[in-house]
Amino acid sequence: MERKRSWTWRDLAIAIPMLLPSALILGTFILYPLGRAVWLGQQRCNTRGDVCRSNGFDQYLDLFRSTEFQNALVVTAKFALISVPLGLVLGVGLAVLADKMLRGISFFRTVFSSTIATSVAVASLMWLFLLQPSVGSLANISWFQNLFPSVKNPGWLEDSGTALFAVALSSVWAGLGFTFILVTASLQSIPRELHEAAAVDGASGTLRFWKITVPLLGPTLLFIVIVLLTRAFQTYGEVDLLTNGGPSPQEATTTLAYLIYGDTPIEADAGLQAGSAVLLFVVLLALSALQVRGIGRRMSDVG
């Protein structure tokens, strides 16, 4: 028995012209550069990048095993472990505090969300002036020096033990407005009746937060975690402006993005740079898939 098609040739004739512009844009700006990077990633090039020879796709394996890539991967993972939870907790905390019907609360909402209008360059320079050991505002506060002596000598950005944390602080501050705005919008969509009914039943504020607010914020939090994690693995501007990947020789803040684009041992080899970018893409793809399957399933179960 012949199965009836769910589409007709006439539908196809209409669909092709409508999809063609999107397909052209996708192919030109996404698929072609990705394919070009994959092809270039298995090549070794001279310092000018005009003479390349193929090393085969084993080059990806060699690159992944290299000391430089492993160090950058570890640094990036540490950076993500610092910046993502800190940014998420601060953003949710500020949004919960600002989700009150109080007089003048709109002023604080504006202040909390203002960092979204601040570029990475401006935020990095601001933190550079704050943490600069000789003239930095934060580094020259007496009680702060007593609490954290390393902020003055040698300086958080010059100390390999604190440089990554200092860069993460700048990144968290710059991204705080993004998290705050999304969580605030999501909080305002939660029906007040749910909290009122739970309060009548004797539920405390903490219990209402974990049993009502957090589950209903689940999809928003999942989206924010994916975006923050992606940003963390693509961090470049803060590193370039604050530490240049140092302090050396530990290269304590050389993230994967800085390894690809910054002043690093592979900067003169377009093949190794492209290969590192492809490996970064694979890492981000795997992390996003794990988050969607793991955290997404957990959120749907809680909801």
Side-chain angles (χ1 to χ4, degrees):
M1 181 177 175
E2 185 180 355
R3 188 176 178 182
K4 188 177 180 180
R5 287 198 306 260
S6 60
W7 53 272
T8 64
W9 290 107
R10 183 178 179 183
D11 294 335
L12 189 62
I14 297 174
I16 288 176
M18 296 180 71
L19 293 174
L20 192 58
S22 299
L24 284 175
I25 293 173
L26 184 68
T28 304
F29 295 104
I30 304 293
L31 298 180
Y32 173 73
L34 180 60
R36 176 76 177 172
V38 171
W39 177 81
L40 189 58
Q42 48 88 38
Q43 305 230 338
R44 293 297 298 267
C45 304
N46 64 358
T47 54
R48 292 183 299 178
D50 55 353
V51 179
C52 300
R53 59 179 174 80
S54 174
N55 269 4
F57 285 93
D58 287 343
Q59 177 160 286
Y60 284 106
L61 196 56
D62 296 337
L63 184 57
F64 184 79
R65 291 171 174 169
S66 66
T67 304
E68 291 81 5
F69 189 88
Q70 293 285 337
N71 178 68
L73 184 60
V74 170
V75 169
T76 307
K78 288 180 181 177
F79 182 84
L81 287 174
I82 297 172
S83 63
V84 174
L86 189 60
L88 185 67
V89 169
L90 287 177
V92 173
L94 289 177
V96 171
L97 288 176
D99 189 41
K100 308 292 182 186
M101 297 302 175
L102 300 176
R103 189 175 182 181
I105 196 65
S106 57
F107 169 75
F108 292 99
R109 288 175 180 166
T110 304
V111 172
F112 293 157
S113 59
S114 61
T115 61
I116 199 171
T118 307
S119 68
V120 171
V122 172
S124 301
L125 288 176
M126 187 195 78
W127 279 93
L128 182 65
F129 293 137
L130 285 174
L131 296 175
Q132 217 282 333
S134 58
V135 296
S137 305
L138 195 59
N140 287 280
I141 299 175
S142 299
W143 66 265
F144 198 78
Q145 283 183 36
N146 295 331
L147 195 60
F148 303 104
S150 61
V151 74
K152 182 69 176 177
N153 186 20
W156 279 3
L157 295 174
E158 284 73 28
D159 187 345
S160 59
T162 56
L164 190 64
F165 179 73
V167 175
L169 279 181
S170 170
S171 180
V172 167
W173 186 87
L176 202 55
F178 170 78
T179 306
F180 174 79
I181 289 175
L182 287 184
V183 176
T184 299
S186 188
L187 283 173
Q188 292 178 353
S189 68
I190 297 176
R192 300 284 176 184
E193 293 80 7
L194 293 176
H195 285 278
E196 293 170 358
V200 170
D201 289 340
S204 63
T206 304
L207 189 63
R208 295 200 304 273
F209 176 76
W210 288 110
K211 295 295 183 181
I212 297 176
T213 305
V214 171
L216 293 178
L217 285 178
T220 303
L221 296 180
L222 174 62
F223 173 74
I224 292 172
V225 168
I226 291 175
V227 172
L228 292 182
L229 195 61
T230 304
R231 279 186 178 178
F233 271 77
Q234 294 177 340
T235 298
Y236 174 80
E238 299 94 324
V239 176
D240 189 46
L241 290 168
L242 292 174
T243 61
N244 275 330
S248 298
Q250 294 89 350
E251 312 300 346
T253 59
T254 297
T255 59
L256 284 173
Y258 190 81
L259 175 71
I260 296 169
Y261 300 109
D263 183 14
T264 62
I266 68 169
E267 67 170 332
D269 194 314
L272 293 179
Q273 289 178 310
S276 300
V278 173
L279 290 178
L280 174 59
F281 170 75
V282 173
V283 169
L284 284 175
L285 197 63
L287 286 175
S288 298
L290 285 175
Q291 289 173 91
V292 171
R293 285 181 62 84
I295 302 177
R297 182 180 299 173
R298 184 180 176 84
M299 289 298 179
S300 60
D301 290 344
V302 172

